[in-house]
Amino acid sequence: MNIKLKIWRQAGENKPGKFESYEVNDVSVDMSFLEMLDVLNENELKKGNDPIHFDHDCREGICGMCSLYINGKPHGPKHGITTCQLHMRTFNDGETIVVEPWRASAFPVLKDLVVDRTSFDRIMQAGGYVTVSTGGVPDANEIAIPKTVADEAMDAAQCIGCGACVAACKNASAMLFTSAKVSQLALLPQGGAERKRRALAMVEQHDAEGFGACTNTGACEAVCPKEISITHIARLNREFTRASFSGNETDYQN
């Protein structure tokens, strides 16, 4: 395949950016999208040009680093996959592909296609963890948890923090991410001791980072590579409302 690319180039945060055109020839249909970008960068380096900067790590659909807006969709046209799982057979020979970074004020562009997503880290630091003593590993197996509840918690825990939900949302809201991280702990007994503080602190940090409000359009769920359900946002709203009107953690748990 011969592929034409229009890629966003930007020297750094608050620097002007623009699209630049490239061509990559003899692309194998079995290449992943990132492998195709690797070939492009090899060609650019041979010419003495600055390579295109983009995020990647595991390339197995787990780390959430491969955050690219491809032809107007986060992670490209396929459903339920990350960019590293997107193969070039998805596209046609001679097609022009437009590649951009996430567009959100809370995700400033660092360079080219790389954005700063440490805002997600700060939301997690605000409450996305358990600080109570949960005992040793064998103790966890002694806590009876219904399978349906454990499965739902695991579904929420699948969130890889890629930011596709933010990129797709017209308000650049990160409520799907935040709600998934709240849900995975709120559903389990180990997370019950801090439910009130967690919900309040993580939502407060979400807003402080500059993410928008959720208006329930469902765009986040539609593009999530792990297919996280927006029902978690409903749970977060319940957690937040109960926490706002309860007196203390003990009252809240009851």
Side-chain angles (χ1 to χ4, degrees), residues 166-226:
V166 177
C169 179
K170 65 180 182 179
N171 303 323
S173 172
M175 289 300 281
L176 188 64
F177 165 80
T178 306
S179 66
K181 299 307 180 183
V182 167
S183 273
Q184 71 184 59
L185 296 174
L187 285 163
L188 300 177
Q190 292 90 340
E194 299 171 291
R195 287 174 67 180
K196 175 181 178 179
R197 186 198 59 77
R198 179 182 302 112
L200 295 175
M202 292 183 73
V203 170
E204 181 182 5
Q205 189 62 41
H206 170 282
D207 295 344
E209 295 294 341
F211 292 109
C214 173
T215 48
N216 212 31
T217 64
C220 53
E221 180 184 69
V223 302
C224 176
K226 297 304 177 182

Side-chain angles (χ1 to χ4, degrees), residues 37-221:
L37 291 179
D38 289 337
V39 172
L40 172 60
N41 276 342
E42 288 175 4
N43 295 338
E44 291 302 300
L45 287 170
K46 289 176 182 177
K47 297 175 184 177
N49 298 331
D50 187 30
I52 291 98
H53 290 69
F54 62 94
D55 263 334
H56 63 94
D57 193 0
C58 75
R59 300 200 178 195
E60 294 180 346
I62 299 172
C63 70
M65 294 293 289
C66 54
S67 50
L68 298 181
Y69 218 83
I70 302 168
N71 283 349
K73 293 184 178 180
H75 295 299
K78 290 287 188 177
H79 181 70
I81 63 172
T82 55
T83 301
C84 63
Q85 297 172 308
L86 179 67
H87 289 86
M88 295 310 297
R89 55 179 170 267
T90 305
F91 306 95
N92 299 315
D93 184 30
E95 183 175 349
T96 298
I97 304 172
V98 181
V99 188
E100 306 171 69
W102 291 163
R103 304 289 191 179
S105 59
F107 290 159
V109 175
L110 297 178
K111 188 167 185 180
D112 297 340
L113 305 174
V114 180
V115 299
D116 182 356
R117 286 174 293 179
T118 54
S119 51
F120 272 9
D121 296 332
R122 290 187 289 272
I123 292 175
M124 292 298 292
Q125 289 166 0
Y129 52 84
V130 174
T131 58
V132 297
S133 176
T134 57
V137 174
D139 296 337
N141 294 328
E142 298 299 320
I143 302 175
I145 300 173
K147 185 178 186 303
T148 54
V149 175
D151 287 347
E152 190 173 2
M154 183 61 72
D155 289 343
Q158 286 187 99
C159 173
I160 56 178
C162 67
C165 52
V166 177
C169 179
K170 65 180 182 179
N171 303 323
S173 172
M175 289 300 281
L176 188 64
F177 165 80
T178 306
S179 66
K181 299 307 180 183
V182 167
S183 273
Q184 71 184 59
L185 296 174
L187 285 163
L188 300 177
Q190 292 90 340
E194 299 171 291
R195 287 174 67 180
K196 175 181 178 179
R197 186 198 59 77
R198 179 182 302 112
L200 295 175
M202 292 183 73
V203 170
E204 181 182 5
Q205 189 62 41
H206 170 282
D207 295 344
E209 295 294 341
F211 292 109
C214 173
T215 48
N216 212 31
T217 64
C220 53
E221 180 184 69

Side-chain angles (χ1 to χ4, degrees), residues 18-33:
K18 64 178 181 178
F19 284 104
E20 294 186 2
S21 298
Y22 301 89
E23 290 188 16
V24 187
N25 299 320
D26 299 322
V27 175
S28 169
V29 294
D30 295 322
M31 281 184 179
S32 72
F33 197 86

